[in-house]
Amino acid sequence: MNQEKGLKMKLRREPKQSRGSLPVQRSNVSPGAQLNRLRNEIDRLFEDPFGAFARAASFFEGWEPSLDVYEDRDKITIKAELAGMKLEDIDVRVDGNTLSISGERKCEEEKTEGERCRSERYFGRFQRSIGLSTAIDAEKVSAKYRDGILTVVCPKAEQAKSRQIEIKNA
């Protein structure tokens, strides 16, 4: 009947999904960044189980800098990736055994023609709090910022440092 009227029908085949699989959604955020934020949220959940309810609305919003934490006998060193930030926009605080890094990355004013095709950088306020495994000497904490990397050195308190005990022959 369709051929009589000169109409042709075109069929399009959709790729078959295996059972139980979810459709893949594309995002401007890299998978590594998404996993990193998910890991941080899980860590926070175990540190403060009831705090997650207060943060539910902000889950996956904003951004957090990536961190590396190193510990040796005398100190704990934290390196935070804060590329593109100015020194005056970064705040570092110590409260007991918690180190907090906060600040704001401001959006640059771009004057280009055309529309933005892709944007993966985060702008806005952030805060990261790191629970330190041992007591530190807050008076001796130091911070340096160079080439987009904030390095915070937290010397351990004397009572927190391990020491070898000499065993005497009785």
Side-chain angles (χ1 to χ4, degrees):
M1 185 181 211
N2 285 340
Q3 289 178 347
E4 292 173 9
K5 294 182 182 178
L7 298 174
K8 291 184 179 179
M9 210 174 183
K10 213 175 206 181
L11 296 176
R12 192 176 95 181
R13 177 173 265 173
E14 292 288 326
K16 195 173 188 179
Q17 281 187 334
S18 64
R19 290 184 184 200
S21 68
L22 296 173
V24 176
Q25 293 182 349
R26 300 288 178 215
S27 172
N28 288 342
V29 181
S30 72
Q34 289 176 341
L35 286 173
N36 202 14
R37 279 187 258 142
L38 179 60
R39 185 195 66 210
N40 289 332
E41 287 297 324
I42 291 170
D43 287 347
R44 284 193 194 125
L45 179 63
F46 284 105
E47 289 172 6
D48 184 12
F50 299 107
F53 296 112
R55 285 189 294 273
S58 66
F59 191 71
F60 286 123
E61 290 180 8
W63 72 283
E64 293 182 333
S66 299
L67 297 177
D68 293 330
V69 180
Y70 306 92
E71 182 173 356
D72 63 23
R73 182 184 180 285
D74 298 321
K75 66 187 175 303
I76 298 172
T77 304
I78 296 96
K79 292 188 176 194
E81 190 176 280
L82 301 172
M85 293 190 63
K86 294 180 181 175
L87 184 62
E88 57 268 13
D89 295 329
I90 303 168
D91 183 48
V92 178
R93 296 181 184 272
V94 175
D95 182 21
N97 285 359
T98 302
L99 174 77
S100 296
I101 302 170
S102 60
E104 182 174 8
R105 182 183 289 158
K106 296 181 176 141
C107 185
E108 307 162 348
E109 289 295 323
E110 290 184 23
K111 296 189 180 186
T112 59
E113 293 183 25
E115 294 182 28
R116 181 178 295 167
C117 295
R118 184 176 180 151
S119 181
E120 294 183 357
R121 297 183 301 155
Y122 289 100
F123 296 98
R125 295 206 49 77
F126 72 90
Q127 178 171 355
R128 288 289 308 259
S129 294
I130 304 105
L132 303 173
S133 58
T134 60
I136 60 167
D137 187 345
E139 298 297 320
K140 294 181 182 175
V141 173
S142 64
K144 293 187 289 188
Y145 184 63
R146 182 174 180 216
D147 297 332
I149 304 293
L150 174 70
T151 304
V152 181
V153 179
C154 304
K156 291 182 181 178
E158 285 301 318
Q159 69 269 21
K161 292 181 184 178
S162 64
R163 61 186 184 108
Q164 185 173 3
I165 308 298
E166 180 184 344
I167 302 171
K168 296 180 181 173
N169 195 2

